[in-house]
Amino acid sequence: MRTAREYKEKEIYERLEPYIGAWFRKKYHHFTPPQRYAIIEIVNRNNILICAPTGSGKTFACFLGIINNLCKLSRANKLEDRIYCLYISPLKALGNDIRRNLEEPLDEIAKLGKELAGVDTGIRVAVRTGDTTQKERQNMLRKPPHILITTPESAAIILNAPKFKLHLKKLDYVIVDEIHEVADSKRGAHLSITLERLQNFCDSEFTRIGMSATISPLEEVAKFLVGYSQSKEEGRGLEQRDCLIADVSFAKDLEVSVIAPVNFIYSGKPDVTEHDTDITAALYEKVRELVEKRESTLIFTNTRSGAERVSYKLAKMVSEVDKCKIGTHHGSLSRDTRFTVEEGLKEGKMKAVACSSSLELGIDIGALDLCILIGSPKSTTRLIQRAGRSGHRLEKIAKGCLIVTDMDDLVECAVLARRAKEKKLDKVRVVGCALDVLAQHLVGMSLEQKWNVEDAYNLIRRAYPYRDLKHEQLVAVLRYLSGVHSELENRKVYPKIWYDEAQGVFGRKRSTRGIYMTHVGTIPSESSVQVFLRAPKPKEWIGEIDEPFLEKLEPGDTFVLGGKTYKFVSVRGMRAYVDSFEGMPTIPAWIGEMLPLEYDSAIEIGKFREEIEKKMEDGKEKKREIVDWLKKEYRLEETAAENVFLYFEAQKRYAGVIPNHRRIIIEHYCDDLGRQNIAFHALYGRRTLDALSRAYAYAMSIAHKTNVSITINDNGFILKLPHKNVDVESVAALARSDNIDELLRKSVRKTELFKRRFRHCAVRGLMVLKQYKGYEMSVGKQQRSSASILNVAKKIEDFPIVEETFREILEEVFDIEHAKEVLRGIESGAIEIRTIKTPFPSPFIHNLVALQASDVVLMESRRELLHELHRRVMEYIEGKSISCDISSNKLFSKKCNSWA
């Protein structure tokens, strides 16, 4: 990997066709930073990864060099009817934007080329996705575009379209846009093999161009983009392809502010003040105030339901004139509705739009004045993506405003805002060796030709995610696909290929093409799960829940639906069965939509905590100094900075210690029913905590023969034991870096999480079909089929789709690598473990305690619980005699039975 150099404008103009240079001077005047780095390298056919802000001209940095080369060919009458450039976008809508944004400059260049040079450029652009009609495809087959815009899935389908594929035989360029969106997912694994299959088909090496506004580490993503080539020297194996890296993320200024909508989110006073009881009203008022001062504002929420609530509330608060200019945008809305909002933003007709993550990516929505983020975006990368949607032009400053909802949110947002300003991104972990995706591609490869296993193995390993693929893993997938495991035929899993293990070759089965072409891709089908009361008969329908929420449930978990609490019993297909339950839920209803705090951002929050504690220990009278430091370094308002200090001071005085990234605090206390609560104050990102909490809970349940419930947020987790008191000093040793894999495998293998993820893997790996002979298979039928197959497959040693399900859960749902890193830190002493016993929860876990009550009591009541916990902490600090049992609090004794 090499760093690209910046070229002077004169150098670039010298390499451009004169009429293209004349057109660019007239329209744009100057090249932007990404254009100065990329255009000549692309003209020279060098692989390049470009990291540049939204609105900085990076898309045209890619295309101008390609268009210039096509115009040269046209001038020499050598422009053929074939595809020269394949542009791959993760979003269909982004592809349509690119086509529209290319057609105008191509028309202008063509006109000027005719006037100044007598050249008829005739460069054609087209889009081919799942929405492309059969007539449009036939037209492309007869007269192919020179630039084809598509998606990762459609690119894979094209590889098995024998006639159309011939137009790619001499392909020169492949552009992968928004590469950060695929690199860490199975879409990335799928695309990486697609590119290697395409390269294997092409006559010569094509140039690879990657683009992103927010990606790190650049070297790793560049490797993902270009993959490997086969060494020409015998015995040398694979060689990393070369790639230039153009990092011009510095090219645009970013301004981020953090706003607390009330004076005191966390007060030094124990009483609940009238002013801060209604944070929600204050939040909406602040949003209204910010929106009314600007022409156009994008409001990001962390859930789809949040986007609906914000737009509804805002429309009621603004003037009658502006009411019709308030919109909503998220993935559950129809394509037409989303398109109308996007066009309204682009044309400047919308005053404000509330959205989820649906507008994070580079869909052209025009110039925005401000992006508001309600609550923490949970990663620096996401913060920059969202804030970067404003100030669309390079000379404009991107402006983001974070509105916080509680103390943990305030601390988190303050740290993320500073990291964003310093352009410190969360690291992407490139997706691992996905065997279900491999199975799908092997079937696709078999449709092309008869393959020697060694040739196929070498091709697949050239894709970066598969560089460490073991030969026996490939063979295991080939054996499954060829029907070696005959016991699976009783579950209607039939061979998709033939495989001669002795000869080391495999090829197609005639019946497979239709199955493959209708199953290309990695995005799973999901549906709502219908919830029924188990008794009395006939079973009563209660409501429905989403599959991501169901994945969190284990038998015995309790949750709220329709205002009542139920205990989860079992699930069959897409039906969940529950019992009525009187008491507090263990799983909040919104848990499935929660964005996870990323590992790198969590570590920065740990460093922030460590620094504040050090400043507090340097002297007793440190309040003013720390508050001033927070205002200066983190740009907090006086009140917000003061509240951060008071929050940390209360934790320090009550617990004697502040947890951070190098110190885990294990706090234990008993609630009013005598149940032991073991709270881990740990800052390592939610996915890492998910792995650690499950491992510790499973180990504890085996060691002490008891059920252990888990409550988790981004700052730690609580393990609750119903009837036993354990020696807390011994808890930390229950999970180790050398046994966590086994603990997690055992803890998830009978869960709904495993059953659902197995279905996803089985569909990708063509074990379970979504469609057959023109008939759609419902998600419920898919789930029943996968459950039946799983009963057989799990008995086959190292069966690839079962192993892939474990890998997906451990590496993609959880973060097993960072969990191991934390455990190694504990084992080496690099991470300190300190155990404390408290009469009731310390301030830093108050939100965790309140999390358990969030479905039972109203938001206002939850705040009263937080204030009650805070009041008792403050009284304890001041040495007053108080009772540890607060179940007499009328608000909670009736509704929750318990405060923890």
Side-chain angles (χ1 to χ4, degrees), residues 184-467:
D184 63 347
S185 70
K186 287 195 176 182
R187 286 186 90 190
H190 195 278
L191 177 60
S192 68
I193 297 182
T194 297
L195 293 180
E196 293 310 323
R197 287 175 60 192
L198 180 59
Q199 184 61 78
N200 188 66
F201 172 74
C202 290
D203 287 341
S204 59
E205 289 263 330
F206 50 73
T207 301
R208 304 187 190 210
I209 304 159
M211 289 191 289
S212 176
T214 47
I215 197 78
S216 175
L218 290 169
E219 292 78 10
E220 185 77 358
V221 178
K223 291 175 184 177
F224 166 78
L225 171 67
V226 298
Y228 295 88
S229 61
Q230 202 73 39
S231 174
K232 294 175 183 176
E233 295 181 33
E234 194 172 341
R236 287 287 301 275
L238 301 177
E239 286 185 352
Q240 185 80 60
R241 293 189 182 100
D242 191 28
C243 186
L244 292 165
I245 295 173
D247 181 9
V248 283
S249 54
F250 58 84
K252 189 175 179 180
D253 287 333
L254 176 67
E255 188 178 289
V256 182
S257 59
V258 178
I259 294 178
V262 293
N263 283 339
F264 291 95
I265 291 179
Y266 192 90
S267 173
K269 302 173 184 177
D271 298 325
V272 180
T273 64
E274 184 179 340
H275 188 77
D276 66 353
T277 52
D278 198 351
I279 295 175
T280 306
L283 184 149
Y284 286 128
E285 181 57 34
K286 177 55 69 175
V287 171
R288 182 199 62 77
E289 181 187 317
L290 291 169
V291 166
E292 288 189 340
K293 288 179 179 177
R294 290 162 179 85
E295 292 295 318
S296 58
T297 303
L298 201 56
I299 307 163
F300 284 100
T301 66
N302 288 340
T303 63
R304 296 173 181 185
S305 57
E308 293 283 0
R309 285 195 303 271
V310 169
S311 58
Y312 172 77
K313 270 284 198 185
L314 192 58
K316 293 173 78 73
M317 297 172 74
V318 297
S319 67
E320 286 296 321
V321 175
D322 288 336
K323 189 172 290 187
C324 61
K325 299 179 182 178
I326 306 297
T328 312
H329 192 287
H330 57 71
S332 295
L333 296 172
S334 70
R335 176 71 196 99
D336 289 344
T337 302
R338 297 198 307 272
F339 182 76
T340 301
V341 171
E342 290 161 17
E343 289 299 302
L345 279 169
K346 199 182 303 182
E347 294 167 10
K349 295 177 181 178
M350 304 299 290
K351 181 75 172 174
V353 171
C355 63
S356 59
S357 58
S358 57
L359 287 177
E360 273 180 20
L361 293 185
I363 300 170
D364 185 6
I365 52 174
L368 297 165
D369 297 325
L370 177 69
C371 288
I372 297 172
L373 287 71
I374 296 179
S376 169
K378 300 298 178 182
S379 85
T380 314
T381 302
R382 191 176 290 111
L383 170 53
I384 293 173
Q385 283 171 352
R386 291 181 172 186
R389 301 299 271 148
S390 64
H392 194 69
R393 294 177 182 170
L394 187 61
E395 67 274 10
K396 298 280 188 180
I397 296 174
K399 293 183 179 180
C401 178
L402 291 156
I403 303 181
V404 303
T405 56
D406 59 40
M407 276 309 306
D408 289 334
D409 208 31
L410 173 57
V411 171
E412 202 170 289
C413 287
V415 174
L416 293 183
R418 182 174 174 177
R419 287 193 85 216
K421 188 71 178 171
E422 295 170 349
K423 300 292 194 300
K424 292 182 178 177
L425 302 179
D426 297 279
K427 295 184 180 70
V428 165
R429 182 177 289 275
V430 172
V431 66
C433 181
L435 298 181
D436 52 351
V437 172
L438 172 60
Q440 190 180 125
H441 269 291
L442 288 171
V443 172
M445 290 166 67
S446 76
L447 299 174
E448 298 174 333
Q449 64 181 66
K450 183 172 87 173
W451 281 87
N452 178 284
V453 171
E454 291 305 313
D455 290 341
Y457 180 59
N458 289 333
L459 183 153
I460 292 157
R461 286 182 63 238
R462 292 200 286 270
Y464 187 66
Y466 293 88
R467 62 197 180 279

Side-chain angles (χ1 to χ4, degrees), residues 49-69:
L49 174 65
I50 306 164
C51 181
T54 302
S56 62
K58 65 178 178 293
T59 304
F60 217 63
C62 296
F63 279 113
L64 194 62
I66 294 168
I67 290 168
N68 187 74
N69 284 356

Side-chain angles (χ1 to χ4, degrees), residues 782-890:
Q782 292 173 38
Q783 186 61 42
R784 289 191 293 275
S785 178
S786 72
S788 174
I789 292 168
L790 179 56
N791 288 333
V792 175
K794 65 186 180 184
K795 296 174 185 175
I796 302 171
E797 186 177 358
D798 297 331
F799 187 72
I801 305 302
V802 173
E803 287 302 304
E804 174 54 29
T805 306
F806 278 120
R807 189 208 65 79
E808 179 180 313
I809 292 171
L810 267 59
E811 294 183 15
E812 296 176 35
V813 179
F814 304 156
D815 186 348
I816 184 67
E817 289 307 313
H818 281 129
K820 286 181 179 177
E821 189 177 314
V822 171
L823 292 171
R824 284 193 291 267
I826 294 170
E827 290 155 8
S828 69
I831 295 175
E832 174 192 3
I833 293 283
R834 193 177 298 187
T835 304
I836 60 173
K837 182 172 176 58
T838 56
F840 34 79
S842 64
F844 277 16
I845 56 166
H846 286 181
N847 275 330
L848 257 176
V849 174
L851 188 62
Q852 296 176 323
S854 60
D855 267 358
V856 175
V857 297
L858 298 174
M859 186 61 74
E860 291 78 7
S861 302
R862 179 173 172 268
R863 288 190 203 106
E864 287 187 44
L865 170 58
L866 291 171
H867 276 283
E868 176 65 15
L869 289 170
H870 172 64
R871 183 180 70 81
R872 295 190 177 277
V873 165
M874 298 308 294
E875 288 184 355
Y876 185 88
I877 289 171
E878 292 164 10
K880 294 181 181 177
S881 176
I882 58 171
S883 167
C884 294
D885 178 8
I886 63 169
S887 62
S888 58
N889 183 338
K890 292 178 183 178

Side-chain angles (χ1 to χ4, degrees), residues 380-642:
T380 314
T381 302
R382 191 176 290 111
L383 170 53
I384 293 173
Q385 283 171 352
R386 291 181 172 186
R389 301 299 271 148
S390 64
H392 194 69
R393 294 177 182 170
L394 187 61
E395 67 274 10
K396 298 280 188 180
I397 296 174
K399 293 183 179 180
C401 178
L402 291 156
I403 303 181
V404 303
T405 56
D406 59 40
M407 276 309 306
D408 289 334
D409 208 31
L410 173 57
V411 171
E412 202 170 289
C413 287
V415 174
L416 293 183
R418 182 174 174 177
R419 287 193 85 216
K421 188 71 178 171
E422 295 170 349
K423 300 292 194 300
K424 292 182 178 177
L425 302 179
D426 297 279
K427 295 184 180 70
V428 165
R429 182 177 289 275
V430 172
V431 66
C433 181
L435 298 181
D436 52 351
V437 172
L438 172 60
Q440 190 180 125
H441 269 291
L442 288 171
V443 172
M445 290 166 67
S446 76
L447 299 174
E448 298 174 333
Q449 64 181 66
K450 183 172 87 173
W451 281 87
N452 178 284
V453 171
E454 291 305 313
D455 290 341
Y457 180 59
N458 289 333
L459 183 153
I460 292 157
R461 286 182 63 238
R462 292 200 286 270
Y464 187 66
Y466 293 88
R467 62 197 180 279
D468 297 323
L469 176 72
K470 295 181 176 65
H471 197 278
E472 54 266 32
Q473 288 177 302
L474 175 65
V475 169
V477 175
L478 288 170
R479 287 171 61 83
Y480 140 61
L481 289 172
S482 63
V484 166
H485 306 293
S486 56
E487 58 267 49
L488 288 171
E489 288 200 16
N490 294 329
R491 298 294 190 271
K492 298 182 180 179
V493 179
Y494 302 113
K496 307 295 187 301
I497 64 171
W498 62 260
Y499 170 42
D500 187 329
E501 196 162 352
Q503 295 294 317
V505 291
F506 69 93
R508 63 174 286 187
K509 278 192 169 287
R510 288 186 180 179
S511 59
T512 307
R513 175 173 288 275
I515 292 173
Y516 174 78
M517 296 297 272
T518 54
H519 286 75
V520 167
T522 63
I523 301 171
S525 302
E526 290 191 338
S527 181
S528 295
V529 178
Q530 304 305 308
V531 181
F532 290 83
L533 198 61
R534 189 168 55 156
K537 293 183 179 180
K539 296 175 175 60
E540 180 187 350
W541 180 77
I542 303 298
E544 58 184 39
I545 56 177
D546 293 331
E547 280 199 82
F549 177 71
L550 181 66
E551 285 186 352
K552 305 288 183 183
L553 296 178
E554 294 186 23
D557 281 341
T558 55
F559 64 97
V560 169
L561 185 61
K564 294 182 180 179
T565 310
Y566 298 95
K567 180 181 286 187
F568 174 62
V569 177
S570 63
V571 67
R572 180 173 174 78
M574 302 305 288
R575 284 190 167 205
Y577 295 98
V578 299
D579 289 335
S580 292
F581 179 76
E582 290 295 326
M584 197 173 69
T586 56
I587 308 291
W590 40 264
I591 198 92
E593 286 192 280
M594 289 171 69
L595 290 174
L597 179 66
E598 296 295 336
Y599 176 83
D600 295 315
S601 292
I603 293 297
E604 290 296 323
I605 295 168
K607 292 176 181 177
F608 173 81
R609 286 182 174 187
E610 185 179 50
E611 191 164 3
I612 286 192
E613 184 177 32
K614 185 176 183 303
K615 289 179 180 295
M616 293 173 85
E617 288 173 348
D618 284 345
K620 290 185 177 179
E621 301 300 323
K622 282 289 181 178
K623 179 178 177 180
R624 186 69 259 162
E625 185 179 319
I626 293 173
V627 167
D628 288 343
W629 173 75
L630 288 167
K631 288 168 66 179
K632 180 184 176 183
E633 296 296 326
Y634 291 87
R635 301 183 66 189
L636 294 179
E637 297 168 339
E638 172 77 21
T639 303
E642 189 175 63

